[in-house]
């Protein structure tokens, strides 16, 4: 829902950058993300962390394309970029 609202808020030519923890496919690294996921499971009803594939799926279903991890980081400073579908920039 958040990605969909972001897509609706963007101009026709738009890009979104997401700064977050991006987990590897095993969900064990980065370590800071694994620890954060445990905290989210304990403190929220269904919270967690996400892999690049899960972030990509969510963005694409909300109307984004050209999804890329443009900054890898061991903490919460990874950056994922996505372009609004139909935008050529």
């Amino acid at each position: 829902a958040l990605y969909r609202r972001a897509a609706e808020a963007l101009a026709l030519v738009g890009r979104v950058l997401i700064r977050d923890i991006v987990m590897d496919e095993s969900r064990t690294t980065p370590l800071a993300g694994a620890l954060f996921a445990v905290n989210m499971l304990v403190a929220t009803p269904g919270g967690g962390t996400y892999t690049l594939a899960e972030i990509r799926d969510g963005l694409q279903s909300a109307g984004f394309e050209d999804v890329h991890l443009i900054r890898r980081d061991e903490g919460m400073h990874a950056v994922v970029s996505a372009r609004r579908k139909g935008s050529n920039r």
Side-chain angles (χ1 to χ4, degrees), residues 31-55:
L31 179 59
L35 293 172
F36 183 71
V38 171
N39 181 59
M40 291 298 292
L41 286 172
V42 170
T44 65
T49 55
Y50 302 95
T51 66
L52 180 58
E54 291 168 327
I55 294 168

Side-chain angles (χ1 to χ4, degrees), residues 10-16 64 82-89:
L10 283 174
L12 287 177
V13 176
R15 182 172 296 276
V16 66
F64 289 94
R83 185 169 44 87
R84 184 171 174 187
K85 201 172 273 187
S87 171
N88 59 2
R89 291 190 217 172

Side-chain angles (χ1 to χ4, degrees), residues 8-88:
E8 291 167 359
L10 283 174
L12 287 177
V13 176
R15 182 172 296 276
V16 66
L17 298 174
I18 299 167
R19 181 184 146 250
D20 202 352
I21 296 171
V22 178
M23 299 302 291
D24 70 355
E25 294 302 318
S26 71
R27 295 185 183 279
T28 58
T29 58
L31 179 59
L35 293 172
F36 183 71
V38 171
N39 181 59
M40 291 298 292
L41 286 172
V42 170
T44 65
T49 55
Y50 302 95
T51 66
L52 180 58
E54 291 168 327
I55 294 168
R56 180 179 287 117
D57 289 347
L59 285 165
Q60 288 175 338
S61 69
F64 289 94
E65 59 189 359
D66 194 25
V67 179
H68 295 287
L69 180 64
I70 60 172
R71 184 177 195 278
R72 185 173 302 280
D73 186 80
E74 291 301 309
M76 193 176 222
H77 304 293
V79 178
V80 176
S81 171
R83 185 169 44 87
R84 184 171 174 187
K85 201 172 273 187
S87 171
N88 59 2

